[in-house]
Amino acid sequence: MTTQQQLEAIEAQWEEEDPRILEAAREFLKDDLSTDEENEKLKKAYLHRGREKEYEYESKQEYLFYKHLPSLIKNYSGLYVWFEDGEVKDYDQDEVTLCGRVVRSDAVREREIRAIYVNKVPELN
């Protein structure tokens, strides 16, 4: 699937009507979506290190983040979010502070895969 096809597939799932939010989400996706070649390199790197589960986790969370992007922009514009399984688990203005808090949380320490998905929600201008 090309980057343009990925963009269109994700946009088709958005139910947002505010043109400012849609434009912010589109611009973010254009910059953030990886090409098939980039995705393949990343996948090989994860598999080479025996981290297939982490790759699958990250890919799933990234897709869900993109799918929920308009609502994230409405509620968390300009903030870093720990996003998991379709919802924001925690957020902060500072990425390092957020990641430190998340990796020390019982929710992460007690599970098999300790990978987390943190991304900055684009700002709504």
Side-chain angles (χ1 to χ4, degrees), residues 19-73:
R20 294 177 330 136
I21 291 174
L22 289 172
E23 184 59 29
R26 281 187 195 105
E27 287 302 314
F28 178 83
L29 274 180
K30 285 179 191 175
D31 293 340
D32 207 53
L33 276 177
S34 301
T35 65
D36 288 340
E37 184 178 299
E38 291 168 333
N39 283 332
E40 193 58 35
K41 285 181 183 177
L42 182 62
K43 183 176 182 177
K44 284 180 182 179
Y46 270 94
L47 297 179
H48 181 72
R49 293 181 292 176
R51 304 191 96 145
E52 184 175 351
K53 289 181 181 179
E54 286 86 350
Y55 175 79
E56 291 170 3
Y57 167 87
E58 186 174 318
S59 296
K60 175 185 174 187
Q61 301 313 319
E62 182 178 62
Y63 170 77
L64 291 171
F65 180 86
Y66 293 154
K67 180 179 175 181
H68 291 88
L69 197 51
S71 65
L72 292 169
I73 293 170

Side-chain angles (χ1 to χ4, degrees), residues 68-90:
H68 291 88
L69 197 51
S71 65
L72 292 169
I73 293 170
K74 277 184 181 177
N75 298 304
Y76 301 97
S77 176
L79 297 173
Y80 289 92
V81 297
W82 170 30
F83 190 81
E84 195 163 273
D85 297 330
E87 62 184 61
V88 173
K89 301 288 189 173
D90 198 356

Side-chain angles (χ1 to χ4, degrees), residues 2-14:
T2 67
T3 304
Q4 182 61 34
Q5 289 170 325
Q6 288 176 326
L7 179 63
E8 291 170 1
I10 292 166
E11 281 187 37
Q13 297 178 58
W14 293 344

